[in-house]
Amino acid sequence: MMSDVMVVGIGQTPVGEHWDVSLRTLANRAVQAALQDAARQGAGEVQPQAMYVGNLLAPTLSHQANLGALLATNSGLTGLESYVIEAAEASGAAAFHMAYLAVTSGLMDAALVVGVEKYTDVVGPRAEAAVAEVTDFDYEGMIGVTPAAQAGLIMQRYLYETQAPRAAFGRFAMLAHANAVHNPNAMYRRAIRPEGYDSAPLVSDPLNLLDAAPYADGAAAILLARAAVLPSAGAVPRVRVTGSSVVTDRLALHDRPDLLAFDAARLSVERACRQAGCLPQDVDLFELWDGFSIYAALSLEAACFAPRGQGWKLGYEGMIGSQSRLPILTMGGQKGRGNPLGASGVYQLVEATLQLRGEAGPNQVPGARRALVQALGGAAATAVTHVLEQA
């Protein structure tokens, strides 16, 4: 019989350029914050039996593999199962999925998830080349295709097929930055104006600088536990994981029959919601993946919040703000908070938990009780979706 899985503790570090902080220290700060949060909830006696690490770049940029052993012992956790889960930018979300499976199966009472990335350990072309490893190297990476180039190609096709106004995509970036203003852990805590978006330099035509989330350093952690081992509820509402799904698609863009159909994203939403016993339209907020603004529009379409070719309209018509029917990017998303790559999926889950606890401050979504959270690896080659609910 499957067990109820609860979010017991959450922790995060500010996202940014942490030149003076090592990868292990960054991870430890998030882990200790999550354990302290668990203690605040009256669950300080709950000890993880496993640690699942979400990371993409450490072996290449930080010259460090075997993060499971390193981060567990550096955080004072010994004798437990620990290793890295890699799923491109969705690595942290996939690590959460593994922890969920371990706990819901009854094999473990508690498991810890930590997503960590140190992008700034290397600067310049070497860092960009490392991120480009999420593409199909033989057919894309070898000829210089980067994630931004992929997004530019997809956006160009989208504009051609839908005839959407180019300026419409600025609404996603402006919303993300507006929400990041009130997120103390966000990298860019300032709003942007339409004229600033329109005049931003191109990165990969038609994608401009403000369409792309900035890569950064950061760490976030979550402690999961079976409900049966927890004491009575603490100071804030408990949050339960009711759905979790990972789906993959063809990695290279030229292998896909439809460039604008994020099939993995669609299927992962369907499966996670089926597990949770709800429809996407039943959620109170959607923490979607906005590594590139075109992906925000396509994710809304994949989750059936908009018909094909009309995801851009939700931003253009003001339907995704914190007081609207479908709040998204409530703490700034990757664009405003910053995108620590393999750790981003854990940040999304921490932020959704804050919403469901009623602890999101000025960004609080009124009456939030159910959240849909989705992370994408590559151009939706991997999609990881979770449903969290107030218990």
Side-chain angles (χ1 to χ4, degrees):
M1 181 177 178
M2 297 177 69
S3 303
D4 279 350
V5 179
M6 313 298 288
V7 175
V8 179
I10 57 175
Q12 60 182 316
T13 70
V15 176
E17 298 178 343
H18 296 288
W19 304 98
D20 58 340
V21 182
S22 68
L23 182 144
R24 71 183 73 191
T25 298
L26 206 59
N28 181 55
R29 290 177 180 176
V31 168
Q32 298 308 321
L35 296 177
Q36 290 168 16
D37 183 60
R40 182 172 70 94
Q41 305 308 314
E45 300 302 313
V46 175
Q47 293 299 309
Q49 295 154 295
M51 172 192 279
Y52 299 100
V53 181
N55 177 266
L56 172 62
L57 298 174
T60 303
L61 298 188
S62 303
H63 308 290
Q64 182 65 65
N66 206 4
L67 288 183
L70 175 70
L71 301 187
T73 54
N74 191 65
S75 298
L77 303 170
T78 58
L80 77 171
E81 175 181 315
S82 184
Y83 40 82
V84 174
I85 307 298
E86 187 273 302
E89 300 97 325
S91 295
F96 184 92
H97 178 74
M98 293 301 295
Y100 167 78
L101 292 180
V103 176
T104 196
S105 70
L107 183 65
M108 298 177 185
D109 288 337
L112 185 66
V113 181
V114 57
V116 62
E117 205 71 78
K118 272 285 287 171
Y119 178 75
T120 61
D121 276 352
V122 172
V123 297
R126 283 181 58 202
E128 290 292 333
V131 178
E133 291 177 0
V134 305
T135 67
D136 185 325
F137 180 75
D138 288 344
Y139 296 99
E140 296 176 322
M142 182 181 287
I143 59 172
V145 173
T146 64
Q150 285 184 320
L153 289 168
I154 292 171
M155 189 174 191
Q156 190 173 67
R157 184 66 191 181
Y158 189 93
L159 292 172
Y160 171 78
E161 286 196 14
T162 66
Q163 297 299 301
R166 174 64 188 82
F169 291 90
R171 303 303 174 94
F172 295 113
M174 286 184 279
L175 173 66
H177 277 264
N179 288 342
V181 168
H182 302 294
N183 180 357
N185 292 296
M187 188 174 183
Y188 292 116
R189 299 184 62 190
R190 60 182 182 185
I192 58 175
R193 297 177 178 177
E195 55 269 27
Y197 174 84
D198 293 339
S199 63
L202 289 176
V203 173
S204 180
D205 192 14
L207 196 81
N208 74 29
L209 185 64
L210 292 179
D211 287 308
Y215 299 139
D217 306 331
I222 297 176
L223 179 63
L224 296 179
R226 290 195 303 123
V229 305
L230 295 176
S232 58
V236 295
R238 283 256 165 82
V239 173
R240 184 161 58 105
V241 186
T242 56
S244 182
S245 172
V246 181
V247 179
T248 57
D249 198 355
R250 297 166 178 86
L251 182 57
L253 294 184
H254 68 262
D255 284 334
R256 299 186 188 181
D258 187 345
L259 197 62
L260 302 184
F262 274 11
D263 287 336
R266 174 181 56 80
L267 285 170
S268 69
V269 168
E270 289 178 2
R271 293 172 185 177
C273 286
R274 188 179 304 122
Q275 290 175 29
C278 70
L279 296 173
Q281 289 74 19
D282 296 329
V283 305
D284 298 305
L285 62 129
F286 182 20
E287 293 299 344
L288 55 73
W289 192 258
D290 68 325
F292 301 100
S293 59
I294 179 62
Y295 292 178
L298 289 174
S299 294
L300 288 166
E301 295 172 21
C304 296
F305 290 115
R308 180 188 171 98
Q310 296 184 37
W312 61 273
K313 289 186 177 180
L314 298 188
Y316 211 56
E317 296 172 0
M319 300 171 65
I320 51 177
S322 60
Q323 305 297 316
S324 69
R325 172 63 190 88
L326 182 66
I328 69 170
L329 311 175
T330 64
M331 301 299 284
Q334 280 69 252
K335 182 65 191 74
R337 180 229 306 127
N339 181 11
L341 295 153
S344 280
V346 185
Y347 273 94
Q348 290 178 294
L349 289 156
V350 167
E351 291 162 357
T353 299
L354 289 172
Q355 288 287 358
L356 298 178
R357 286 180 174 181
E359 295 184 324
N363 290 2
Q364 182 65 49
V365 173
R369 296 187 60 84
R370 181 184 285 130
L372 185 66
V373 185
Q374 184 174 80
L376 302 180
T382 302
V384 186
T385 305
H386 301 99
V387 180
L388 304 183
E389 297 185 30
Q390 192 180 104

